[in-house]
Amino acid sequence: MDSQSLAFVEGLYADYRRDPASVPPDWRGYFDEMDRENGSTPQWQPGPSFRNCSVFNPPAGHNGRPGVEVALLQDRLDQLVRNYRVRGHTIARFDPLGLPRPHPPELELEYYGFSAADMATEFSIRTRTGSEMRPLSAIVQSLRTTYCRSIGVQFMHIDDLGVRHWLQDRMESTQNHIQLSRQEQIRILTRLTDAVIFEEFIQKKFTGAKSFSLEGCESLIPLLDLAIEQAGEHGIDEIVLGMAHRGRLNVLANILGKGARQIFREFEDKDPSLYEGRGDVKYHVGHSSDWLTAAGRHVHLSLCFNPSHLEFVNPVALGRMRAKQDRAGDAERRRGMVLLIHGDAAFPGEGVVQETLNLSEVAAYATGGTIHVIVNNQLGFTTEPEQSRSSLYAGSLSRMLQIPLFLVNGEDPEAVAQVIRLAMDFRLEYQRDVVIEMYGYRRLGHNEGDEPSFTQPLLSRAIEQRKPVREGYLEHLLELGGLTREEADQIAAERYDHLEQELAVARSDDYVPRSQAYGGIWKPYRGGPDAETPEVDTGVDRERLSHLLELQTQVPKDFHLHPKLQRMMVARREMALGKRPLDWSTAEALALASLATGGYRVRLTGQDTERGTFSQRHSVLHDFQDGRTYMPLQHLAADQAPVEICNSPLSEVGVLGFEYGYSLDGPDGLVAWEAQFGDFFNVAQVIVDQFISSAEDKWHRLSGLVLLLPHGLEGQGPEHSSARLERFLSIAAEDNIQVVYPTTPAQYFHCLRRQVVRPWRKPLVALTPKSLLRHPQCVSPLGDLAGGRFQRVIPDEGAAPVRRVLLCTGKIYYELMERRRPDVAVVRVEQLYPLAEGTLVAALERYPQGTPVMWVQEEPENMGAWRYMRARFGEKLLGRWPFSGVCRPASASPATGSASSHKLEQKQLLERAYAG
């Protein structure tokens, strides 16, 4: 026996010693016999049974080889099969440009010792779909056809054997090829024609205009077409899409059904006054429409608006779908789907992609699986793949999930059809994400005014030699028969004539573009100026409040509450009876409870939000003995609206984007995101700037999202102090957002209720406390929640004549009150934006003109609200009162890292406020 055969048998015997059932029955019988002969020596030693064992007899069809050699070859064949499944993608022909790639030796027969003489030898393929014995030549051909043609796939990293077998069976039984009817082939050709003619028409009629052409990746249009058709078959009613610039206009025209005349009118840009100071470029806009499938099912499509921070639309799209599913009562996440179209440079380059993938199977954010399509241009603007990523593929990031990555040649539309069908079926079966990386190229530059050959001359020349994908597919269909060149030309001519007619309408003077105004679920709500929407009373009957609070102190009889939380329950019962005032968290709990029992859905997420960063909320209780959970807010009334309070992943941009998206399709409830510390919204600045603060102005889209940002300088250092109030005030214009810094639990209660009860929908930025959560003075009697409404400015009710007025907001009010002097008034500005001057006048008019007014803040002079207030009012407040500021000196950092230094600074600040 040669050394290789000996090593093989010894390895098999080692497996037998660990687990006899793991080796084939013939070998197991031999090893049993051998152990009896050798006295169970734990090492393989050929005994008398060696030559009699059936596994060593040469079976028929194996060229007279000894059985052990055949077994060795079978083992190598199994390795070959596995390596094609694992590594076949490395030699797959999914790149239409055929750029050089390394060829791994483990996919060659010689690597395993096979030769031409073995091609007719039959081997067991028990790990494959099909018959048990097949010739080596047939096995290898099937593997190469399945894994190495126009489709490559990475799926062997999936831990679940059942999932891997499902994918193997689906791919290997069909050799990864779809059988299309003539009707289906003509549909694909027609969709390719739509895509190609649209791009050619744009370039001809609007020379030099930016359109971010889809040329080189036109197969995206039939891919989306097939995905929507199959979604209808799967019972999906709604699809939310998010995508990049590239191809957006084509998708709008040929998938979303936006009229070509409207797109052409936007190119003409003939209405300069229409979008003065507002609106957005055409390749940022979204659209919605209804799609009627070939089978007669309706699927609603919504393409999200998004800015040049392209991948940041991903969590927004997921949030929109989650809201749609919740609204429809689709708890199984079966009736809606998200489809995201990515760029090949952005997918691995932008961290929000990873955050979005991470949300996919977290219960509070799951939507039933997203279809990701990476449109691989093989170039990011002017940056080549080796400069833009460290991974083999743009989609390699997706391997963090237990999902497949399909790589497909965009010039092979039927391979694209196979992949999207397989991806849709996988999503239906497992409700997980799927990633498709469709390889194409960018025939033009990053935009139509760019010159790609400046930086990629070789790539550009290779692209110039490629025929359009439609032509290649048409030649394929002509070879198959059943379609003539004349029929194909007729399809193209009809498409071109239609676009000519649409352009004529777009250029006519009487054409008025149609906008998608607020409708559907948004019909009862409004945006626009704050002053045009009346205030509303937000008080709740005192007895009802007491009852709601009492309910929140009750847990099931067999539930073991943590001993320390018993005190909280006792305190809340006393609050319910009016025996003690309410603290911040209790007022919040009552706001949420009153909304939920009033029919308004409540959703609050963030890092550690269930308990609260400062151990103040405890909305989700944990049994102290067995760990099960109970949320009192979900057990208030049989007909209450749902309440979700969920911990989020350690993510800001992804989660805030998700909740913003949720708010776009959930206007009739409270949707809130809480930062662990207010400073942490820094990481989600893009969502604030590009979506939350500007969407109404750019895209005519409203949101009632609430941002809860713990804020206050308390000696905890630069990163746990400031929610960067100044940033929100600097982007505040045209009543686009609300910025509040409430000082009492009652104010917070009314503010949250106003956000929902009032029909005015604007994002709310609420600076919330840390130290004030347990401050003995930061309390409110139950009666303050029962009556009244949110006060934008709270006057000082003192009656004595004053020599100075201190104007402030938030936490510093309590520190000023600790040093209170009867001749100094302290007035609180609870809402900083929109700041109605009338409310400020009402609070100050009791003070004679010329009385100094000082804005007092704990933040440095270049932060907080001071510069905003100074820019708004100048040196004389409302033209009547001298106006100055008391702040920490301007600083590059929000706060000192020394607790003792903080105390000294705060002491000096307060002394300056009262000095003189």
Side-chain angles (χ1 to χ4, degrees):
M1 183 183 298
D2 60 34
S3 59
Q4 275 193 319
S5 298
L6 179 61
F8 169 76
V9 179
E10 288 176 339
L12 202 59
Y13 180 65
D15 292 340
Y16 164 81
R17 296 292 301 180
R18 285 191 297 270
D19 178 13
S22 68
V23 301
D26 287 346
W27 282 102
R28 188 160 62 246
Y30 163 64
F31 289 138
D32 288 343
E33 180 65 23
M34 188 193 72
D35 276 357
R36 284 194 294 271
E37 294 171 354
N38 296 331
S40 300
T41 304
Q43 180 177 356
W44 180 70
Q45 296 179 14
S49 63
F50 174 72
R51 297 191 180 277
N52 299 324
C53 182
S54 62
V55 297
F56 292 97
N57 296 325
H62 285 71
N63 301 323
R65 284 194 175 93
V68 69
E69 186 176 342
V70 172
L72 178 60
L73 288 177
Q74 177 67 58
D75 180 65
R76 293 175 181 172
L77 185 279
D78 291 343
Q79 293 179 41
L80 173 68
V81 172
R82 177 175 175 79
N83 277 328
Y84 263 94
R85 291 169 178 159
V86 175
R87 302 276 287 146
H89 59 86
T90 62
I91 62 171
R93 299 189 299 275
F94 51 75
D95 178 5
L97 299 179
L99 300 177
R101 301 167 65 203
H103 192 110
E106 61 266 34
L107 298 180
E108 295 297 329
L109 290 173
E110 295 78 8
Y111 181 81
Y112 302 93
F114 291 115
S115 66
D118 297 305
M119 299 307 287
T121 302
E122 291 191 345
F123 290 91
S124 168
I125 50 169
R126 58 183 177 273
T127 59
R128 288 179 45 79
T129 299
S131 61
E132 279 299 306
M133 301 293 295
R134 295 179 66 187
L136 177 61
S137 59
I139 293 173
V140 173
Q141 181 59 42
S142 179
L143 289 168
R144 288 177 177 169
T145 301
T146 300
Y147 295 111
C148 305
R149 286 194 301 176
S150 295
I151 299 171
V153 58
Q154 287 189 306
F155 71 103
M156 292 296 283
H157 60 281
I158 298 174
D159 293 328
D160 189 321
L161 182 63
V163 177
R164 294 204 308 274
H165 282 175
W166 188 92
L167 287 163
Q168 285 172 201
D169 292 345
R170 286 296 302 269
M171 292 185 290
E172 294 175 10
S173 63
T174 63
Q175 296 192 12
N176 240 351
H177 180 72
I178 191 171
Q179 295 294 330
L180 296 173
S181 66
R182 178 181 182 274
Q183 183 179 1
E184 290 170 323
Q185 290 174 328
I186 292 177
R187 183 181 181 111
I188 290 175
L189 178 66
T190 301
R191 302 308 265 153
L192 285 173
T193 303
D194 291 338
V196 170
I197 295 297
F198 181 82
E199 298 297 353
E200 291 177 351
F201 192 88
I202 292 288
Q203 291 166 39
K204 180 179 179 180
K205 301 297 184 178
F206 303 100
T207 305
K210 287 184 181 181
S211 67
F212 294 97
S213 166
L214 191 57
E215 284 189 287
C217 291
E218 293 95 337
S219 289
L220 176 66
I221 300 302
L223 183 154
L224 296 176
D225 177 275
L226 293 167
I228 298 167
E229 287 291 312
Q230 193 165 354
E233 294 176 12
H234 291 173
I236 291 172
D237 299 323
E238 292 208 48
I239 299 177
V240 173
L241 298 95
M243 71 175 295
H245 293 353
R246 178 155 156 73
R248 178 180 285 259
L249 298 181
N250 210 314
V251 170
L252 281 167
N254 291 314
I255 298 296
L256 271 295
K258 181 176 180 178
R261 64 184 63 179
Q262 189 164 349
I263 295 173
F264 296 158
R265 184 72 167 210
E266 291 165 356
F267 272 104
E268 293 285 332
D269 202 13
K270 295 180 66 173
D271 309 291
S273 62
L274 187 62
Y275 299 105
E276 190 171 357
R278 62 188 180 88
D280 202 351
V281 293
K282 49 191 165 293
Y283 36 80
H284 284 172
V285 300
H287 194 73
S288 63
S289 63
D290 288 310
W291 178 290
L292 181 64
T293 71
R297 288 188 60 91
H298 288 275
V299 180
H300 186 71
L301 307 178
S302 301
L303 175 65
C304 296
F305 295 76
N306 68 298
S308 290
H309 294 75
L310 299 169
E311 296 294 337
F312 288 86
V313 77
N314 299 343
V316 175
L318 264 66
R320 290 193 63 186
M321 177 47 63
R322 175 67 178 233
K324 289 174 182 288
Q325 291 171 338
D326 287 348
R327 177 178 295 281
D330 182 17
E332 294 185 357
R333 316 295 168 198
R334 293 287 186 181
R335 292 168 55 186
M337 182 183 83
V338 177
L339 202 161
L340 298 177
I341 305 165
H342 311 269
D344 55 309
F347 192 86
E350 295 285 2
V352 68
V353 175
Q354 181 274 333
E355 293 193 28
T356 303
L357 291 172
N358 187 53
L359 293 176
S360 66
E361 294 182 53
V362 177
Y365 307 92
T367 59
T370 296
I371 299 292
H372 300 266
V373 180
I374 302 172
V375 179
N376 195 323
N377 304 307
Q378 309 195 63
L379 188 65
F381 200 166
T382 66
T383 303
E384 295 176 354
E386 58 268 23
Q387 295 174 307
S388 66
R389 65 174 187 260
S390 297
S391 57
L392 183 59
Y393 303 120
S396 294
L397 173 66
S398 65
R399 291 184 55 161
M400 66 179 281
L401 302 180
Q402 297 285 294
I403 63 172
L405 166 62
F406 295 104
L407 309 140
V408 62
N409 190 325
E411 283 194 351
D412 186 344
E414 294 192 4
V416 172
Q418 161 68 7
V419 163
I420 189 59
R421 179 167 293 182
L422 183 55
M424 290 291 292
D425 286 348
F426 178 88
R427 178 197 172 275
L428 178 67
E429 181 74 17
Y430 295 106
Q431 291 193 281
R432 300 182 190 177
D433 287 20
V434 190
V435 178
I436 300 170
E437 188 167 342
M438 189 185 79
Y439 273 71
Y441 44 83
R442 204 173 62 209
R443 190 173 290 278
L444 304 175
H446 175 66
N447 58 62
E448 288 62 33
D450 195 41
E451 177 50 68
S453 63
F454 285 158
T455 50
Q456 278 78 29
L458 300 181
L459 183 64
S460 297
R461 280 198 289 274
I463 292 172
E464 288 172 1
Q465 296 170 10
R466 307 299 301 175
K467 65 180 68 174
V469 61
R470 176 185 179 274
E471 288 303 310
Y473 189 56
L474 175 57
E475 291 176 3
H476 168 68
L477 296 185
L478 293 175
E479 290 176 5
L480 293 176
L483 179 74
T484 66
R485 171 71 69 173
E486 290 72 22
E487 288 174 317
D489 290 345
Q490 179 64 28
I491 294 172
E494 290 174 358
R495 289 330 191 245
Y496 195 89
D497 290 345
H498 171 71
L499 294 181
E500 284 282 15
Q501 295 168 13
E502 291 288 287
L503 180 60
V505 173
R507 286 176 169 171
S508 64
D509 292 335
D510 58 350
Y511 172 64
V512 178
R514 182 171 59 91
S515 64
Q516 293 188 321
Y518 302 130
I521 60 172
W522 278 99
K523 194 171 183 180
Y525 306 100
R526 57 172 299 165
D530 173 37
E532 294 180 5
T533 304
E535 286 287 1
V536 292
D537 289 332
T538 50
V540 177
D541 180 78
R542 185 185 181 112
E543 290 186 4
R544 182 181 168 208
L545 290 174
S546 296
H547 177 63
L548 290 174
L549 188 51
E550 175 62 31
L551 287 174
Q552 293 183 67
T553 67
Q554 298 174 8
V555 297
K557 291 182 179 180
D558 62 344
F559 192 89
H560 305 91
L561 195 63
H562 192 289
K564 291 186 178 179
L565 293 183
Q566 294 286 0
R567 292 194 296 272
M568 182 189 80
M569 294 301 189
V570 170
R572 286 192 170 183
R573 290 188 189 102
E574 292 178 352
M575 294 176 192
L577 295 172
K579 294 180 179 180
R580 64 189 298 172
L582 280 64
D583 58 16
W584 193 273
S585 64
T586 303
E588 178 190 77
L590 280 174
L592 303 187
S594 63
L595 289 172
T597 54
Y600 302 103
R601 174 183 287 272
V602 172
R603 178 179 169 90
L604 169 60
T605 72
Q607 294 162 19
D608 306 296
T609 292
E610 292 180 0
R611 192 204 74 175
T613 298
F614 313 101
S615 195
Q616 84 282 8
R617 182 172 289 120
H618 295 288
S619 60
V620 178
L621 304 172
H622 294 254
D623 189 290
F624 193 52
Q625 293 186 8
D626 59 24
R628 62 194 166 105
T629 60
Y630 180 78
M631 187 189 296
L633 281 166
Q634 293 179 337
H635 302 274
L636 303 173
D639 60 347
Q640 73 170 84
V643 177
E644 285 184 287
I645 301 179
C646 305
N647 292 337
S648 77
L650 190 63
S651 159
E652 287 83 25
V653 64
V655 173
L656 180 56
F658 188 100
E659 301 306 339
Y660 171 73
Y662 197 102
S663 73
L664 294 178
D665 281 271
D668 54 350
L670 181 71
V671 183
W673 171 73
E674 181 179 57
Q676 193 171 56
F677 286 87
D679 322 57
F680 294 176
F681 103 90
N682 280 335
V683 187
Q685 187 74 48
V686 172
I687 302 297
V688 172
D689 290 347
Q690 305 297 335
F691 292 94
I692 292 173
S693 68
S694 56
E696 182 179 2
D697 200 42
K698 293 187 297 188
W699 308 318
H700 205 49
R701 287 294 178 269
L702 299 179
S703 165
L705 180 67
V706 178
L707 279 67
L708 302 178
L709 307 179
H711 175 84
L713 276 68
E714 292 148 336
Q716 296 188 54
E719 306 306 323
H720 291 143
S721 297
S722 176
R724 309 308 296 239
L725 172 61
E726 66 280 357
R727 292 188 188 170
F728 292 102
L729 295 176
S730 71
I731 59 175
E734 302 178 292
D735 290 2
N736 60 331
I737 58 175
Q738 305 165 83
V739 183
V740 301
Y741 194 177
T743 55
T744 72
Q747 279 285 86
Y748 182 48
F749 170 89
H750 289 296
C751 183
L752 291 179
R753 286 187 49 79
R754 179 184 71 162
Q755 182 70 2
V756 179
V757 176
R758 197 181 186 209
W760 195 62
R761 287 294 176 267
K762 298 290 173 115
L764 170 65
V765 179
L767 277 66
T768 58
K770 302 192 296 279
S771 62
L772 295 187
L773 292 171
R774 295 175 177 82
H775 195 289
Q777 300 303 314
C778 186
V779 292
S780 298
L782 191 61
D784 284 0
L785 280 63
R789 60 178 63 164
F790 179 75
Q791 295 177 270
R792 299 183 182 217
V793 177
I794 300 179
D796 189 324
E797 300 297 341
V802 301
R803 60 182 176 84
R804 177 181 303 168
V805 177
L806 302 181
L807 207 58
C808 67
T809 187
K811 163 182 165 286
I812 201 169
Y813 165 76
Y814 291 96
E815 291 159 300
L816 289 170
M817 293 303 289
E818 288 176 1
R819 296 169 175 260
R820 177 69 183 270
R821 296 182 183 178
D823 60 346
V824 177
V826 182
V827 176
R828 287 169 276 175
V829 178
E830 302 280 291
Q831 178 164 307
L832 291 153
Y833 191 84
L835 180 56
E837 292 186 4
T839 58
L840 197 55
V841 169
L844 296 176
E845 62 186 357
R846 71 182 66 185
Y847 309 115
Q849 183 168 323
T851 303
V853 176
M854 302 177 70
W855 178 263
V856 184
Q857 67 178 39
E858 55 186 352
E859 300 90 347
E861 184 271 341
N862 58 319
M863 301 178 192
W866 166 238
R867 289 191 176 180
Y868 159 77
M869 297 293 287
R870 186 57 174 261
R872 174 77 180 268
F873 297 111
E875 296 183 1
K876 185 163 281 193
L877 183 63
L878 301 171
R880 296 165 61 179
W881 298 280
F883 194 39
S884 60
V886 178
C887 326
R888 281 176 166 80
S891 171
S893 177
T896 176
S898 164
S900 58
S901 295
H902 162 77
K903 292 178 182 178
L904 177 62
E905 291 174 357
Q906 200 78 347
K907 178 175 178 292
Q908 294 170 343
L909 179 74
L910 296 169
E911 288 174 349
R912 286 168 49 210
Y914 283 106

